[in-house]
């Protein structure tokens, strides 16, 4: 898995990124969100479609290196 694109929302608490091209509209069938226990304060959530990680939500975390 590699980073395809960083989130463009420009919220100061967001460091989310895409690992696959975005869909036209919603992800649809086969989509699920998997919240993980982050090893740091904040949120880490995977958006998965048919077992492929599409988007990684990284919220309220100190800046990534």
């Amino acid at each position: 898995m590699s980073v395809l694109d960083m989130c463009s929302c420009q919220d100061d608490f967001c460091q989310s990124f895409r690992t696959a091209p975005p869909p036209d509209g919603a992800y649809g069938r086969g989509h699920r969100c998997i919240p993980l226990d982050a090893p740091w304060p904040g949120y880490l959530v995977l958006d998965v479609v048919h077992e492929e990680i599409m988007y990684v939500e990284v919220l309220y975390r100190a800046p990534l290196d």
Side-chain angles (χ1 to χ4, degrees), residues 31-45:
H31 173 245
R32 59 192 174 121
C33 291
I34 303 172
L36 303 175
D37 288 328
W40 30 260
Y43 298 97
L44 182 60
V45 181

Side-chain angles (χ1 to χ4, degrees), residues 38-60:
W40 30 260
Y43 298 97
L44 182 60
V45 181
L46 304 180
D47 286 306
V48 178
V49 178
H50 300 296
E51 306 307 315
E52 180 181 354
I53 298 171
M54 305 293 282
Y55 193 74
V56 179
E57 297 178 63
V58 181
L59 305 170
Y60 299 103

Side-chain angles (χ1 to χ4, degrees), residues 1-8 14-20 27 44-47 53-59 64:
M1 174 178 69
S2 60
V3 174
L4 182 67
D5 192 22
M6 296 301 293
C7 178
S8 61
C14 179
Q15 297 178 75
S16 302
F17 55 93
R18 295 189 182 287
T19 58
Y27 284 119
L44 182 60
V45 181
L46 304 180
D47 286 306
I53 298 171
M54 305 293 282
Y55 193 74
V56 179
E57 297 178 63
V58 181
L59 305 170
L64 294 169

